[in-house]
Amino acid sequence: MRRVEKSSLMSHSEAHIVLLAPLTGPVVPLANVPDPVFSGGMFGDGIGIDPLEGRLVAPCDGVVTHLARTGHAVTLASAEGVEILLHIGIDTVELNGKGFAPMVEQGTQVHAGDVLIEFDQDQVALTAPSLVSVIAIANSDAFEVLERAPAGLARAGETRLLVVRARDGVSHDAAREASAAQVVEEARRQITLTQPGGLHARPAARAREAARAFDARVEVRYDGRKAAIGSVVGLLGLGAGEGASVELLAVGPQAQAAVDAVAHELTREVHGEVEQKPARQPAAAAAAARPTSGEALAPNTLAGVCAAPGVAVGKLVRWDDADLDPPEQASGTSAAESRLLDKAIALVDSDLDTVVRDASQRGAVGEAGIFAVHRVLLEDPTLLDAARDLISLGKSAGFAWREAIRAQIGVLSNVEDALLAERAADLRDIEKRVLRALGYTSSAARVLPDEAVLAAEEFTPSDLSSLDRTRVTALVMARGGATSHAAILARQAGIPALVAIGDALHAIPEGTQVVVNAGTGRLEFAPTELDVERARRERSRLADVREANRRTSQQAAATADGRAIEVAANIATLDDAKAAADNGADSVGLLRTELLFIHRPAAPSADEHRQSYQAIVDALAGRTAIIRTLDVGADKEVDYLTLPPEPNPALGLRGVRLAQVRPDLLDDQLRGLLAVRPLGAVRILLPMITDAAELVRIRKRIDELAREAGRTEPVEVGVMIEVPSAALLADQLAQYADFLSIGTNDLTQYTLAMDRCQPDLAAQADGLHPAVLRLIAATVEGAAKHGKWVGVCGALAGDPLAMPLLVGLGVTELSVDPVSVPGIKARVRTLDYPLCRQRAQDALALDSAQAVRAASRATWPLD
Ligand code: PEP
Ligand code: MG
């Protein structure tokens, strides 16, 4: 790392300032200096010299404001305030002073031509990668280079090397004050992009945010290309996919911290991230997934890739994707067009802000994330600069915007990474939004017939958000991938969707009847009566089963021989609470509170907590709610909490452990929880508890806060069993807890040492692994010693093959997604408890999760 002190000299001059060559040797243009930190201008504008003599002299009169401890670099401040960095050789800091003899000290007043450093050329040349030295204007924001010496030999103290001048409008006093006593650092780091998809939009946006917190300019370099961290579009254009090794470079007072923060963002995986790697079948394989000529495909059938499962029958409707067509030439002045563009962008930004908030409120984290990225793209400097350039050439705002976007789409489409190329759809989306905001209209508002199977080249997220979802029965796309944002939204909306069907899709005439079977990846056009009939039957059979289950879902569930099982719902929002009640959940078994406040700039106050929970309790109409305290950290992030990077966040300050560093957050939440009425409607659940001492400490705090609130009635406190230690110590925990709730998602991750977000391990990270089942059995036994009940709120509770075994192990509450409640209740009613017990004991002795699944399926077949 190089360090250069900046000066705080105070003097004024608008004159040209001449800097003489500080070294003798051939002039090297800055771009040719063999170090990207210098050649990229990150230390400021300047020039290089390949020295022929071992003497560095002052290029002008000035003060030595910094002398590197290792004697290889010095910074001078001229009387006018120009800060000149003189750096001998490349990576010479590594020589640790060997071969350098400084002739000045920090604070020495020098005259042009005075010797600053003598160095042993041969020694330095032998050990450093290059002797090429740099003369850079460290405060290039305040001074610009007007002239530089042409190629040829420069003579130390004689040749005019650079002429600089103060930039217009820059207050030098202010610039100097701002930079006074600051330290300019340079830092670089090579990282490997391990996360699925590599440098895609979400991590790029997060890295940009992370870098903003620091005073440093950061660049990402890959494969001979570079992009400023502020330009997500530029970062995507690097095409750095999974496994790519990229270099991070930063210059500024906080360079190292900035590089570390960016590295952290680019190397970690965030659960629920919208751009998941396609499971096993990458989007790039979309074309390959279509049958080749050798493969038999039924007549009138096209193949695609499943983006959202389901069966649908309907009429093909071409989603008129006619381009919005702004005129090329501006009708007003460039300034007026620029203002129009700014206004349109501001409008779209505020619309998107509302969309993000709404989606967050609904707990639609994926959707919120998609549009949050669109907001970032909207202010991307690469796009804005390109559009403004075109406007200054007399183009209209709309035309300039469209061209700027299309140029970037061109770049992304050339990237050999399907995941990144898919992000072109996001750019198309903001293209349309801004053009609409500029007053250009399209068919977005058109009325659809019933049972419309919408066809398009590729849908954009905003196409889908403006659709009448009640009339759309399926979506089919010529392009796109299973990971495109439109695919994610289709899955969330429960609309079957096929992508990557190819151009043949466009040949199907509008209005043709089609059958979509997304599960098998087939689109049948002009199907026979029989095909239609079969598809309708399958669709209606699935709908009938759902309907029959719903009819009995409001009644309590018990096994056929009478063992009562409470079927509760996992919720995250007020809408979910309504859905839970509607689907017949007996209670709420888990409210994930972190999702209620995910996209907020500040932590919620105690009263905001209270209001949110009160609204949910009211919507539950008498049902109880188990409300979990904030479980942030690891794979769950909230905007208002920027936790310091952790090397291993899943094993770090997550769940209740966060209270060790931010006790105020837990206190405010507990105050809000304790204030909800009626008393008794709420039970508190503590995530990531490790042992009884931790539980006792938090219970004590809950009691104190309850007393402060004047509450005398006890509040029930439960513990999540997510960590193997908690399962093993369940008897101790049950002594102090009112109930235990097993979080099988985390318990599986920590028992099997398999990251729950690692797609390559998704099939193996199965909660039916006998090791996990044994910990569940130990939990129930431990709880039974103190007469406490045990529930399961992890995904295993809603797994039809796992659920009978959980019942057999003694679990009496299953908390599942609201829509799964009717089906799980129906299945509970078919069970025989003694048989469940027997099969559960057998399962504990099996040797793999697959064996357990097979045994369960044999006893309790799926529908
Ligand atoms: C779990 O870990 O199983 C659980 C329910 O908690 P979450 O999925 O929110 O981590
Ligand atoms: Mg968990």
Side-chain angles (χ1 to χ4, degrees):
M1 178 184 303
R2 305 175 178 100
R3 289 175 158 259
V4 184
E5 297 284 341
K6 281 196 174 179
S7 93
S8 59
L9 268 189
M10 309 286 287
S11 79
H12 300 259
S13 169
E14 301 306 317
H16 293 184
I17 303 143
V18 175
L19 303 182
L20 301 177
L23 293 157
T24 296
V27 170
V28 178
L30 193 66
N32 295 351
V33 172
D35 180 341
V37 172
F38 292 117
S39 59
M42 290 183 79
F43 260 119
D45 198 1
I47 200 161
I49 293 181
D50 197 355
L52 300 175
E53 293 170 2
R55 219 161 40 97
L56 179 85
V57 305
C60 60
D61 296 352
V63 176
V64 175
T65 55
H66 178 71
L67 176 68
R69 185 185 51 79
T70 45
H72 70 288
V74 63
T75 306
L76 276 193
S78 78
E80 298 83 0
V82 190
E83 296 168 4
I84 309 138
L85 165 70
L86 306 166
H87 190 283
I88 303 168
I90 301 298
D91 284 348
T92 37
V93 67
E94 319 263 313
L95 302 187
N96 218 0
K98 271 206 212 93
F100 295 100
M103 298 292 138
V104 289
E105 300 177 338
Q106 204 150 309
T108 308
Q109 288 274 357
V110 294
H111 294 291
D114 287 354
V115 179
L116 302 175
I117 299 173
E118 289 192 341
F119 57 99
D120 181 337
Q121 257 183 297
D122 293 340
Q123 186 172 6
V124 177
L126 278 176
T127 25
S130 165
L131 255 185
V132 171
S133 303
V134 172
I135 299 89
I137 309 304
N139 54 346
S140 289
D141 47 342
F143 291 89
E144 61 189 328
V145 175
L146 287 184
E147 287 171 32
R148 45 197 99 216
L153 187 77
R155 292 205 174 276
E158 294 173 17
T159 310
R160 277 165 63 108
L161 189 68
L162 296 173
V163 177
V164 299
R165 152 183 95 177
R167 287 185 190 275
D168 289 345
V170 173
S171 154
H172 303 141
D173 291 351
R176 276 193 297 273
E177 257 157 48
S179 63
Q182 281 185 347
V183 174
V184 179
E185 291 180 355
E186 175 222 326
R188 49 170 91 195
R189 191 165 153 185
Q190 198 78 28
I191 56 166
T192 301
L193 302 174
T194 46
Q195 57 195 205
L199 187 47
H200 59 88
R202 294 294 303 277
R206 286 201 317 265
R208 167 183 173 273
E209 280 315 299
R212 275 184 172 187
F214 299 98
D215 186 1
R217 266 175 300 148
V218 184
E219 264 183 22
V220 181
R221 290 165 189 252
Y222 174 64
D223 203 18
R225 295 187 292 272
K226 62 180 183 179
I229 200 79
S231 172
V232 171
V233 166
L235 292 173
L236 296 184
L238 292 176
E242 186 177 350
S245 171
V246 303
E247 187 179 22
L248 308 178
L249 295 171
V251 168
Q254 296 178 301
Q256 189 62 54
V259 160
D260 289 345
V262 169
H264 173 68
E265 290 302 342
L266 293 184
T267 51
R268 81 206 169 96
E269 176 63 5
V270 176
H271 182 53
E273 182 121 308
V274 290
E275 291 152 301
Q276 303 104 337
K277 184 181 183 184
R280 295 291 161 207
Q281 181 173 279
R290 292 195 293 274
T292 54
S293 49
E295 239 175 285
L297 197 59
N300 293 349
T301 302
L302 298 177
V305 172
C306 176
V311 176
V313 178
K315 291 254 161 49
L316 195 85
V317 176
R318 200 158 300 287
W319 181 245
D320 188 359
D321 202 17
D323 290 334
L324 302 165
D325 206 8
E328 181 169 342
Q329 296 309 322
S331 52
T333 62
S334 296
E337 292 295 314
S338 229
R339 275 196 301 278
L340 281 178
L341 182 62
D342 289 346
K343 247 172 83 180
I345 287 177
L347 193 73
V348 172
D349 187 56
S350 104
D351 282 354
L352 286 174
D353 186 33
T354 313
V355 173
V356 171
R357 276 169 202 279
D358 285 357
S360 312
Q361 289 289 319
R362 281 185 279 120
V365 182
E367 188 173 335
I370 291 167
F371 291 111
V373 167
H374 285 197
R375 291 189 71 197
V376 172
L377 293 176
L378 207 53
E379 58 172 47
D380 196 281
T382 307
L383 291 176
L384 293 176
D385 290 352
R388 294 228 161 83
D389 283 354
L390 287 168
I391 288 176
S392 70
L393 295 174
K395 309 294 179 194
S396 74
F399 182 85
W401 179 250
R402 201 183 67 179
E403 291 308 299
I405 295 258
R406 301 252 160 128
Q408 283 308 322
I409 289 175
V411 172
L412 289 189
S413 307
N414 285 333
V415 170
E416 278 178 26
D417 181 313
L419 190 58
L420 290 174
E422 281 175 15
R423 295 292 81 83
D426 295 326
L427 287 173
R428 254 179 244 123
D429 204 7
I430 61 165
E431 174 194 319
K432 283 191 216 165
R433 276 186 187 264
V434 170
L435 291 181
R436 283 187 199 127
L438 280 166
Y440 302 103
T441 50
S442 78
S443 56
R446 100 186 214 203
V447 178
L448 295 169
D450 281 343
E451 292 202 322
V453 173
L454 286 192
E457 181 78 355
E458 186 174 5
F459 291 98
T460 64
S462 61
D463 285 335
L464 296 193
S465 62
S466 60
L467 279 186
D468 178 353
R469 294 184 185 187
T470 58
R471 292 173 186 270
V472 178
T473 184
L475 298 171
V476 288
M477 296 172 231
R479 307 200 183 285
T483 62
S484 64
H485 286 153
I488 291 162
L489 293 185
R491 275 199 291 275
Q492 282 180 357
I495 303 174
L498 271 183
V499 294
I501 294 171
D503 290 336
L505 176 64
H506 301 313
I508 306 176
E510 171 102 5
T512 306
Q513 188 172 44
V514 294
V515 169
V516 177
N517 189 333
T520 59
R522 294 291 184 268
L523 168 71
E524 276 180 76
F525 53 96
T528 63
E529 278 303 312
L530 195 64
D531 294 332
V532 171
E533 196 41 47
R534 210 180 288 137
R536 286 202 191 280
R537 265 207 308 274
E538 179 57 9
R539 197 176 159 80
S540 81
R541 187 187 73 83
L542 293 173
D544 284 351
V545 171
R546 274 200 303 275
E547 188 44 42
N549 292 344
R550 274 186 68 86
R551 273 200 293 275
T552 52
S553 68
Q554 297 293 341
Q555 291 147 33
T559 60
D561 55 317
R563 181 167 168 91
I565 300 293
E566 182 163 343
V567 180
N570 288 350
I571 67 167
T573 62
L574 180 56
D575 278 356
D576 290 351
K578 292 175 188 153
D582 190 40
N583 281 288
D586 299 323
S587 61
V588 162
L590 172 65
L591 166 58
R592 289 179 163 105
T593 56
E594 55 281 351
L595 298 179
L596 274 175
F597 304 108
I598 203 159
H599 284 295
R600 288 173 44 116
S605 65
D607 200 50
E608 283 171 316
H609 277 294
R610 183 195 59 76
Q611 282 174 25
S612 304
Y613 310 142
Q614 188 66 59
I616 285 173
V617 163
D618 293 347
L620 289 175
R623 297 168 177 86
T624 54
I626 295 179
I627 303 186
R628 180 172 76 182
T629 59
L630 286 175
D631 181 20
V632 294
D635 58 347
K636 304 190 188 74
E637 291 213 349
V638 289
D639 283 357
Y640 58 82
L641 200 67
T642 38
L643 296 168
E646 288 193 67
N648 211 337
L651 305 180
L653 285 177
R654 58 165 298 195
V656 284
R657 298 169 184 180
L658 184 63
Q660 293 171 23
V661 286
R662 291 293 306 270
D664 54 311
L665 294 179
L666 182 60
D667 277 4
D668 280 345
Q669 183 168 31
L670 291 172
R671 286 191 184 99
L673 281 169
L674 290 165
V676 176
R677 299 290 180 270
L679 301 173
V682 166
R683 296 174 177 142
I684 296 175
L685 183 59
L686 304 172
M688 288 295 291
I689 289 280
T690 314
D691 54 39
E694 198 174 28
L695 168 62
V696 168
R697 212 169 41 244
I698 297 175
R699 260 214 103 125
K700 196 161 148 248
R701 186 66 189 147
I702 294 174
D703 291 342
E704 279 166 17
L705 293 172
R707 268 198 305 281
E708 265 174 31
R711 179 172 169 151
T712 47
E713 302 79 354
V715 57
E716 282 192 34
V717 177
V719 163
M720 284 202 77
I721 305 293
E722 297 172 287
V723 182
S725 66
L728 295 169
L729 299 172
D731 56 339
Q732 296 178 5
L733 288 166
Q735 200 180 335
Y736 304 100
D738 295 300
F739 63 95
L740 306 181
S741 183
I742 306 177
T744 48
N745 306 337
D746 277 315
L747 187 62
T748 306
Q749 140 164 290
Y750 295 123
T751 304
L752 304 182
M754 289 184 188
D755 187 334
R756 62 191 270 185
C757 307
Q758 158 57 281
D760 293 332
L761 294 173
Q764 285 156 270
D766 187 337
L768 280 186
H769 194 287
V772 181
L773 293 181
R774 286 186 190 201
L775 287 176
I776 295 172
T779 303
V780 177
E781 274 165 32
K785 287 189 188 153
H786 299 279
K788 305 292 166 61
W789 61 268
V790 177
V792 172
C793 60
L796 217 53
D799 179 336
L801 292 181
M803 179 273 268
L805 297 171
L806 297 176
V807 169
L809 288 174
V811 166
T812 54
E813 182 233 36
L814 300 167
S815 193
V816 303
D817 288 337
V819 287
S820 305
V821 168
I824 292 292
K825 279 193 167 182
R827 198 159 165 90
V828 165
R829 295 188 183 110
T830 65
L831 299 177
D832 173 63
Y833 181 54
L835 181 65
C836 292
R837 279 174 58 124
Q838 184 54 53
R839 292 289 181 265
Q841 289 310 309
D842 296 346
L844 297 180
L846 293 175
D847 62 2
S848 68
Q850 294 94 302
V852 176
R853 282 201 177 275
S856 175
R857 186 177 280 115
T859 311
W860 301 286
L862 297 173
D863 284 341

